Amino acid sequence: MTTTIDPSASASPTADSAAPADVRGRVVELHALRELARSGPSEKATEAQHAKGKLTAHERLALLFDEGTFCEVEQLRRHRATGFGLENKRPYTDGVVTGWGLVDGRTVFAFAHDFRIFGGALGEAHATKIHKIMDMAIAAGAPLVSLNDGAGARIQEGVSALAGYGGIFQRNTRASGAIPQISVMLGPCAGGAAYSPALTDFVFMVRETSQMFITGPDVVKAVTGEEITQNGLGGADVHAETSGVAHFAYDDEETCIAEVRYLIGMLPSNNRQDPPVQPTRDPADRRNDGLLDLVPLDGNRPYDMHKVIEEIVDDGDYLEVHERWARNIICAMARLDGQVVGIVANQPQSLAGVLDIGASEKAARFVQMCDAFNIPIITLLDVPGFLPGVDQEHGGIIRHGAKLLYAYCNATVPRISLILRKAYGGAYIVMDSQSIGADLTYAWPTNEIAVMGAEGAANVIFRRQIAAAEDPEAMRARMVEEYRTELMHPYYAAERGLVDNVIDPAETREVLVKSLAMLRNKHADLPSRKHGNPPQ
């Protein structure tokens, strides 16, 4: 028996042919419908998608999930809208594929826009499918991945489409901190649609083919007169380097989705579980002798903090978040003795490692994510202070710096800080000092913990003596050395209990591993409240 199916028909799929006479005929019809829903509107539409360097929704899902594990939900859903010719065009799936599967054996939910159908635009049925899969992910306590490739709201459906976005935003917010949410931008995302990725934990983008913006280039030109391309306005590199909207940017979809799988492997399924443990052959007590030569004693000489992290973590492997935005601070996920940790570290190679607006926001968001998903936080300090300047003050460095302070103070996961060299002023306090709740604070014998550098402090404290001296420069040098000897020697903070121990840099990995093991069952309660009111 042959059953002819019209993908755009508004009537029953069997209206133009005799109904199957038996169960076997019905099964044949079912498989034909499934194949129709999977294959999409036409081969021409698929070719057009590939010609843009983009995969289809099902091809993307095949890369995301373990082979043969994806289970689709509401595959045969069709919209009910009328007007503007919609009643004559009712494709199956309604432009979004939803379901669940396994990623390295763990359950993950996902939805993927199908750009071949209505340009992936969101309508009422389309939104209802997304709402359902989001509700399922929240109920199951499993990560949610969105593969975004859509043209925004379906204009023909009017306000119903806008209400659909509202339902997505509400669920994004309800799921925040409960399950990991990952947005993968694989095409355009314009207007209000861009707010859903912004509400999620991580945003991945692909260069040249994905863009995010609230108003497109045409609107920008009409309002401001500025001419700019889509990629120049909201491409992957712009959001990875300038705006900070994208956490990761890659050259192709295959690499991007492979990295999504890698990230999922470092996250728990929900906030009630711990991150997955991965056995390692890297000895817990491996010495870090390379650190003795890697970090210069002279606090004015830069070095690459990435190399410090590589030396300490399992097999030198880590995943940096927001790698290209606010480079004066590093946020990374890694493993120590198989256990996932979040690392926040000043980067002396960029702006000498100072804290500024961008660095404060970047680190605050990362600390909050780690705390939400039970990931211990290790902070590596080499910070000369906050970046001075009119732009920083007028830009709100006070409230932005307070975001990082709030995030650390509010975090209840195990927190360990390690001072490598400089730790000056308010930046020292903000970067998870013992006084704001770090569980353990260590320092290398190269540390300098003080209100400010010796030169600046001497100029303030001894300015009269320096001004009255016959040789002011010689007096200044003597006062600088006196201040450094009295208040900035490496054991000053340890003598006052502000540092738990001064350690040999070569023993850093071993000390951190043992400390994390001790803190593994840490329990801390925050005051009973609806929620805090963090600085904005």
Side-chain angles (χ1 to χ4, degrees), residues 221-280:
K221 182 179 179 180
V223 174
T224 70
E226 298 172 286
E227 292 191 17
I228 193 167
T229 65
Q230 287 195 350
N231 281 322
L233 181 63
D237 289 327
V238 168
H239 287 311
E241 294 180 15
T242 305
S243 72
V245 171
H247 299 78
F248 307 96
Y250 298 99
D251 290 330
D252 57 79
E253 294 190 12
E254 291 83 357
T255 303
C256 181
I257 296 175
E259 289 300 302
V260 172
R261 285 177 56 92
Y262 181 77
L263 173 60
I264 290 172
M266 303 191 81
L267 296 171
S269 293
N270 55 65
N271 65 331
R272 300 181 301 278
Q273 298 180 7
D274 292 327
V277 178
Q278 181 174 296
T280 179

Side-chain angles (χ1 to χ4, degrees), residues 158-489:
V159 72
S160 296
L162 295 179
Y165 274 122
I168 294 173
F169 302 157
Q170 191 259 357
R171 287 166 174 82
N172 282 138
T173 303
R174 185 151 52 91
S176 181
I179 59 172
Q181 299 180 85
I182 300 172
S183 297
V184 190
M185 314 312 296
L186 302 168
C189 185
Y195 284 114
S196 177
L199 289 169
T200 61
D201 300 301
F202 299 97
V203 176
F204 287 73
M205 294 189 73
V206 175
R207 294 184 181 92
E208 303 302 326
T209 58
S210 66
Q211 302 89 27
M212 295 174 67
F213 38 71
I214 299 300
T215 55
D218 292 341
V219 176
V220 170
K221 182 179 179 180
V223 174
T224 70
E226 298 172 286
E227 292 191 17
I228 193 167
T229 65
Q230 287 195 350
N231 281 322
L233 181 63
D237 289 327
V238 168
H239 287 311
E241 294 180 15
T242 305
S243 72
V245 171
H247 299 78
F248 307 96
Y250 298 99
D251 290 330
D252 57 79
E253 294 190 12
E254 291 83 357
T255 303
C256 181
I257 296 175
E259 289 300 302
V260 172
R261 285 177 56 92
Y262 181 77
L263 173 60
I264 290 172
M266 303 191 81
L267 296 171
S269 293
N270 55 65
N271 65 331
R272 300 181 301 278
Q273 298 180 7
D274 292 327
V277 178
Q278 181 174 296
T280 179
R281 294 183 179 180
D282 196 346
D285 60 353
R286 171 172 57 80
R287 287 182 60 81
N288 306 124
D289 292 305
L291 295 177
L292 298 171
D293 300 316
L294 184 59
V295 179
L297 183 62
D298 182 356
N300 293 320
R301 289 180 56 195
Y303 61 93
D304 189 355
M305 185 65 81
H306 290 107
K307 295 181 179 179
V308 175
I309 296 172
E310 290 173 9
E311 177 67 28
I312 295 171
V313 303
D314 291 356
D315 304 309
D317 188 29
Y318 63 93
L319 177 65
E320 186 170 355
V321 179
H322 271 143
E323 178 182 1
R324 296 161 60 196
W325 179 56
R327 297 190 184 198
N328 42 322
I329 202 161
I330 297 170
C331 297
M333 299 177 67
R335 282 188 166 88
L336 277 170
D337 198 29
Q339 305 283 340
V340 176
V341 296
I343 298 174
V344 180
N346 305 111
Q347 171 58 298
Q349 274 196 338
S350 178
L351 295 176
V354 298
L355 288 179
D356 61 0
I357 290 173
S360 299
E361 286 201 342
K362 171 179 170 178
R365 174 74 170 175
F366 183 75
V367 168
Q368 289 172 343
M369 184 280 299
C370 289
D371 186 50
F373 295 116
N374 308 313
I375 300 172
I377 301 168
I378 293 174
T379 305
L380 305 178
L381 284 86
D382 191 346
V383 59
F386 282 94
L387 182 65
V390 174
D391 289 344
Q392 289 290 306
E393 296 295 345
H394 289 185
I397 184 62
I398 294 173
R399 60 186 174 87
H400 290 289
K403 292 179 184 179
L404 180 55
L405 180 60
Y406 187 99
Y408 270 125
C409 291
N410 203 47
T412 60
V413 293
R415 291 155 50 190
I416 302 171
S417 63
L418 172 63
I419 302 160
L420 281 61
R421 289 196 314 188
K422 301 183 297 298
Y424 294 163
Y428 153 64
I429 299 296
V430 167
M431 289 287 292
D432 207 19
S433 62
Q434 187 182 95
S435 60
I436 67 168
D439 296 295
L440 289 168
T441 303
Y442 298 111
W444 285 356
T446 50
N447 81 82
E448 291 183 355
I449 306 174
V451 175
M452 63 178 67
E455 290 80 3
N459 286 337
V460 172
I461 298 172
F462 307 113
R463 65 180 183 276
R464 291 181 181 176
Q465 294 93 317
I466 293 172
E470 292 184 4
D471 187 346
E473 289 305 316
M475 175 62 76
R476 179 181 288 108
R478 187 161 67 85
M479 293 297 99
V480 166
E481 186 58 31
E482 180 179 329
Y483 183 85
R484 181 176 284 116
T485 301
E486 290 294 325
L487 297 178
M488 294 182 65
H489 64 79

Side-chain angles (χ1 to χ4, degrees), residues 507-520:
E507 298 173 354
T508 299
R509 174 178 166 83
E510 180 180 5
V511 169
L512 293 177
V513 168
K514 288 181 177 179
S515 299
L516 286 169
M518 181 275 292
L519 291 167
R520 192 160 296 146

Side-chain angles (χ1 to χ4, degrees), residues 30-54:
L30 171 63
H31 286 296
L33 288 172
R34 283 181 171 178
E35 179 55 32
L36 177 64
R38 181 179 178 83
S39 61
S42 67
E43 184 62 32
K44 182 178 180 181
T46 301
E47 290 174 357
Q49 181 81 347
H50 289 163
K52 297 174 184 175
K54 302 197 296 184

